[in-house]
Amino acid sequence: ALIYLLFTVLSLLQQQKTTVQSTAGAGICESISIFSVMQSTVSRHGCEGARPTPEADIYALAVTMCEIFTRKDPFEGEDFVQILNRMRSGAEPDLRPELPEKLPNEVKELICLCWHTDPARRPKSAEIKKRIAQLPRDKVDRWFMKVERKFEKTTGLRISGPPKSAIQLLQEVFPPNIARALREGRKVEPEFHECVTIFFSDIVGFTDISGSFHPLQVMNMLDRLYYALDVAAHKHEVFKVETIGDAYMAVSNLVKEQPDHTKRIADFAIDAIKTANQTLLDDDRPELGCLNIRVGFHSGPVVASVVGNMNPRFCLFGDTVNTSSRMESNSKKNQIHMSEAATTLLKEQAPNMKIVCRGRIQIKGKGEQLTFWLKCPTSDEDLVGGTRNVCLGSQEEAQLSNTNNEVPQLLHENRLFHA
């Protein structure tokens, strides 16, 4: 609600810079309430046919704020025409919608100031913008929670839920211990994690999609995909680190100890491909089909920390991040590409998962590495050299068997990973 009000005030500011005689003046709040616009019309000193003024728009904004904070129409239950006639007559200059007694004082003062009976004493848009930005967010959050609980109790309907406080948002963006440190104003110290599993994915053909679609369509597509991936991440208890363009990054065994962290990422990866294959490129044009993604993951040590003061970001550092990214960039459409280390851990944590040895390939910045495919049940595509990911050949079984014997020792000697 506060964000909407800020945008409304910004619109008013822009309008006042152009002209105070704009015929659109009284219509800024029309999308929220026709009633508020009509009130602004009759509030111009009771003069019928008077030109729109910035003061009348400020009045309409006050009525809109009343609607937002009460979740009710102004003068609810009273006759609409009679209210307008009473206002037009000028006999009741103080006639205004009733405000709840327990509405935060800062909000009540702002609304009353904006619909002051003397238009000259109503604040300018710049002042309103400043006041809205200074409203006590905790008080406003509690107010909306109370209003919405009352609405749900009286109607039996559930609405979208209470506004999220700053604390709730911190806890969603950062791991709990880091969110706590930021909330308390403490410096976040870097944390070393001995072994995590990092997931990367990106959209196949995203550059072409971006060139063919309007930016709003691309944004809508990514929003639908990332919303579904977030649901899957929550299901498998993996932590979403960030999204950059069409890339989605997640990690397990970081926020809390997860002995089966590689299996969790593997299950998440399978669900991610299923999700993408069910996400339409364009909701309005289903004939265009659904998205395809490529996936990769790797296991190893990382250092986690928060960087920057302005818009601080939670980041992972270390060669494990680079290798995980390389697994994804060297993957194929709707396939899951794994490093040797991740494959070994997955075989221990989920022996029944079907794995195909891809063989040794050149990895940029890494040289030649032995990598593997995790069979995704939704895909029947050929993986390497025409061999379907249905079963392992004898040579591949031997390679994987050797890997199972060698990698634990290499992990123990810390030769595979470099933080």
Side-chain angles (χ1 to χ4, degrees):
L2 294 177
I3 291 173
Y4 173 79
L5 290 177
L6 282 170
F7 274 114
T8 304
V9 174
L10 285 172
S11 298
L12 285 166
L13 277 169
Q14 184 62 38
Q15 179 191 343
Q16 289 177 17
K17 287 179 182 178
T18 55
T19 174
V20 298
Q21 302 297 332
S22 169
T23 56
I28 286 179
C29 299
E30 185 173 349
S31 61
I32 289 293
S33 172
I34 297 176
F35 190 69
S36 64
V37 179
M38 295 184 71
Q39 288 194 78
S40 72
T41 302
V42 300
S43 70
R44 301 183 194 111
H45 309 287
C47 299
E48 193 156 348
R51 291 182 180 277
T53 66
E55 291 79 14
D57 284 331
I58 299 303
Y59 181 98
L61 177 64
V63 178
T64 301
M65 284 192 282
C66 176
E67 291 179 287
I68 290 174
F69 281 91
T70 62
R71 295 291 196 268
K72 294 180 180 178
D73 289 331
F75 302 104
E76 189 175 64
E78 298 189 47
D79 184 80
F80 181 77
V81 176
Q82 287 183 8
I83 291 292
L84 292 180
N85 289 333
R86 288 164 61 189
M87 294 183 73
R88 185 180 289 109
S89 69
E92 299 176 79
D94 294 326
L95 182 62
R96 296 292 185 273
E98 185 178 355
L99 294 174
E101 288 185 9
K102 295 184 179 180
L103 186 68
N105 289 332
E106 296 85 349
V107 176
K108 189 179 295 185
E109 289 172 4
L110 178 58
I111 293 176
C112 291
L113 196 59
C114 288
W115 64 28
H116 198 283
T117 53
D118 182 2
R121 296 183 61 180
R122 295 170 191 167
K124 303 297 183 184
S125 298
E127 183 184 348
I128 298 173
K129 178 187 173 186
K130 183 178 178 181
R131 283 175 172 261
I132 290 175
Q134 293 174 344
L135 288 176
R137 299 302 174 91
D138 289 341
K139 282 186 180 179
V140 173
D141 282 355
R142 287 195 294 272
W143 169 261
F144 279 120
M145 290 173 68
K146 182 177 70 175
V147 169
E148 289 171 355
R149 279 198 299 268
K150 182 178 179 180
F151 175 86
E152 292 172 0
K153 186 175 180 180
T154 55
T155 65
L157 300 175
R158 177 157 184 82
I159 50 183
S160 58
K164 294 179 180 178
S165 66
I167 294 175
Q168 288 174 312
L169 290 173
L170 274 177
Q171 291 172 340
E172 287 188 4
V173 175
F174 300 101
N177 58 324
I178 292 179
R180 194 178 309 113
L182 291 173
R183 193 170 67 246
E184 296 170 359
R186 294 187 283 109
K187 178 177 173 57
V188 177
E189 298 297 333
E191 296 180 348
F192 175 76
H193 298 267
E194 186 175 354
C195 189
V196 301
T197 300
I198 299 178
F199 164 102
F200 274 98
S201 72
D202 75 349
I203 297 173
V204 176
F206 183 71
T207 302
D208 293 336
I209 293 172
S210 298
S212 304
F213 285 64
H214 188 280
L216 287 176
Q217 292 174 306
V218 175
M219 183 190 70
N220 175 269
M221 176 192 71
L222 290 176
D223 182 60
R224 288 183 285 110
L225 174 64
Y226 290 161
Y227 180 87
L229 290 181
D230 289 347
V231 171
H234 180 76
K235 169 187 172 184
H236 297 289
E237 295 185 82
V238 303
F239 182 76
K240 173 186 174 182
V241 180
E242 63 179 344
T243 59
I244 305 175
D246 65 321
Y248 190 102
M249 179 184 180
V251 62
S252 58
N253 206 37
L254 183 88
V255 175
K256 61 181 179 180
E257 189 174 343
Q258 296 172 314
D260 59 344
H261 57 94
T262 307
K263 178 184 180 298
R264 288 179 182 274
I265 287 292
D267 288 333
F268 172 62
I270 292 172
D271 277 357
I273 291 178
K274 292 178 181 177
T275 295
N277 293 163
Q278 295 169 0
T279 302
L280 293 170
L281 273 80
D282 188 344
D283 273 340
D284 296 326
R285 293 183 290 171
E287 67 274 9
L288 295 179
C290 296
L291 292 171
N292 297 298
I293 62 173
R294 60 175 69 86
V295 173
F297 63 84
H298 170 62
S299 302
V302 295
V303 172
S305 188
V306 172
V307 294
N309 291 323
M310 183 181 292
N311 300 325
R313 291 182 58 215
F314 176 68
C315 297
L316 302 181
F317 299 91
D319 191 58
T320 300
V321 179
N322 299 331
T323 303
S324 302
S325 178
R326 297 299 183 206
M327 291 300 106
E328 176 271 313
S329 60
N330 284 275
S331 186
K332 293 179 181 287
K333 184 177 76 172
N334 297 330
Q335 302 298 342
I336 303 168
H337 192 210
M338 304 180 295
S339 67
E340 193 173 11
T343 301
T344 299
L345 292 174
L346 185 60
K347 288 290 288 183
E348 294 172 358
Q349 298 170 17
N352 294 329
M353 282 196 170
K354 294 183 179 179
I355 298 170
V356 174
C357 179
R358 184 178 189 179
R360 294 189 175 276
I361 63 170
Q362 283 293 326
I363 302 294
K364 184 178 179 181
K366 299 292 177 186
E368 192 177 81
Q369 289 195 352
L370 180 64
T371 65
F372 299 82
W373 299 110
L374 172 64
K375 180 187 175 184
C376 182
T378 62
S379 175
D380 289 326
E381 290 194 10
D382 291 354
L383 292 177
V384 182
T387 304
R388 291 185 181 274
N389 58 344
V390 177
C391 59
L392 298 174
S394 57
Q395 183 179 358
E396 294 159 346
E397 284 281 13
Q399 283 180 298
L400 188 54
S401 177
N402 291 336
T403 300
N404 289 339
N405 294 330
E406 293 171 4
V407 173
Q409 180 64 25
L410 292 174
L411 279 167
H412 178 70
E413 295 173 0
N414 198 28
R415 285 162 51 196
L416 278 181
F417 312 117
H418 306 280

